[in-house]
PDB file of all heavy atoms in Angstrom:
ATOM      1  N   SER A  47     117.833 107.803   3.441  1.00  0.00           N
ATOM      2  CA  SER A  47     117.655 108.155   4.842  1.00  0.00           C
ATOM      3  C   SER A  47     118.171 107.043   5.871  1.00  0.00           C
ATOM      4  O   SER A  47     118.480 107.300   6.964  1.00  0.00           O
ATOM      5  CB  SER A  47     116.163 108.348   5.126  1.00  0.00           C
ATOM      6  OG  SER A  47     115.368 107.152   4.995  1.00  0.00           O
ATOM      7  N   TYR A  54     129.663 103.235  13.909  1.00  0.00           N
ATOM      8  CA  TYR A  54     128.904 102.121  14.647  1.00  0.00           C
ATOM      9  C   TYR A  54     127.527 101.696  14.215  1.00  0.00           C
ATOM     10  O   TYR A  54     126.843 100.827  14.727  1.00  0.00           O
ATOM     11  CB  TYR A  54     128.743 102.708  16.165  1.00  0.00           C
ATOM     12  CG  TYR A  54     130.129 103.015  16.847  1.00  0.00           C
ATOM     13  CD1 TYR A  54     130.210 104.270  17.496  1.00  0.00           C
ATOM     14  CD2 TYR A  54     131.097 102.113  16.807  1.00  0.00           C
ATOM     15  CE1 TYR A  54     131.501 104.553  18.124  1.00  0.00           C
ATOM     16  CE2 TYR A  54     132.285 102.323  17.335  1.00  0.00           C
ATOM     17  CZ  TYR A  54     132.443 103.488  18.040  1.00  0.00           C
ATOM     18  OH  TYR A  54     133.624 103.919  18.677  1.00  0.00           O
ATOM     19  N   CYS A 114     143.891  93.173   6.142  1.00  0.00           N
ATOM     20  CA  CYS A 114     143.762  93.409   4.665  1.00  0.00           C
ATOM     21  C   CYS A 114     144.910  92.840   3.868  1.00  0.00           C
ATOM     22  O   CYS A 114     146.133  92.961   4.229  1.00  0.00           O
ATOM     23  CB  CYS A 114     143.775  94.943   4.478  1.00  0.00           C
ATOM     24  SG  CYS A 114     143.575  95.329   2.804  1.00  0.00           S
ATOM     25  N   ARG A 126     140.661  83.177  10.182  1.00  0.00           N
ATOM     26  CA  ARG A 126     140.852  82.439  11.378  1.00  0.00           C
ATOM     27  C   ARG A 126     142.352  82.204  11.604  1.00  0.00           C
ATOM     28  O   ARG A 126     142.774  82.176  12.804  1.00  0.00           O
ATOM     29  CB  ARG A 126     140.115  81.012  11.296  1.00  0.00           C
ATOM     30  CG  ARG A 126     138.607  81.235  11.208  1.00  0.00           C
ATOM     31  CD  ARG A 126     137.864  79.927  11.343  1.00  0.00           C
ATOM     32  NE  ARG A 126     137.958  79.500  12.817  1.00  0.00           N
ATOM     33  CZ  ARG A 126     137.134  78.569  13.239  1.00  0.00           C
ATOM     34  NH1 ARG A 126     136.195  77.944  12.363  1.00  0.00           N
ATOM     35  NH2 ARG A 126     137.131  78.155  14.567  1.00  0.00           N
ATOM     36  N   PRO A 141     139.564  92.594  19.320  1.00  0.00           N
ATOM     37  CA  PRO A 141     138.862  91.924  18.202  1.00  0.00           C
ATOM     38  C   PRO A 141     139.583  91.963  16.993  1.00  0.00           C
ATOM     39  O   PRO A 141     140.163  93.033  16.519  1.00  0.00           O
ATOM     40  CB  PRO A 141     137.470  92.770  18.209  1.00  0.00           C
ATOM     41  CG  PRO A 141     137.283  93.480  19.468  1.00  0.00           C
ATOM     42  CD  PRO A 141     138.773  93.714  19.894  1.00  0.00           C
ATOM     43  N   PRO A 168     144.559 104.354   3.171  1.00  0.00           N
ATOM     44  CA  PRO A 168     145.890 103.782   3.658  1.00  0.00           C
ATOM     45  C   PRO A 168     146.775 103.393   2.560  1.00  0.00           C
ATOM     46  O   PRO A 168     146.407 102.689   1.652  1.00  0.00           O
ATOM     47  CB  PRO A 168     145.592 102.594   4.569  1.00  0.00           C
ATOM     48  CG  PRO A 168     144.132 102.869   5.055  1.00  0.00           C
ATOM     49  CD  PRO A 168     143.539 103.560   4.026  1.00  0.00           C
ATOM     50  N   SER A 179     133.021 108.270  20.581  1.00  0.00           N
ATOM     51  CA  SER A 179     131.928 107.487  21.044  1.00  0.00           C
ATOM     52  C   SER A 179     130.631 107.588  20.215  1.00  0.00           C
ATOM     53  O   SER A 179     129.712 106.699  20.338  1.00  0.00           O
ATOM     54  CB  SER A 179     131.597 107.948  22.558  1.00  0.00           C
ATOM     55  OG  SER A 179     131.242 109.333  22.604  1.00  0.00           O
TER      56      SER A 179
END
Side-chain angles (χ1 to χ4, degrees):
S47 66
Y54 299 131
C114 179
R126 296 189 74 164
S179 58

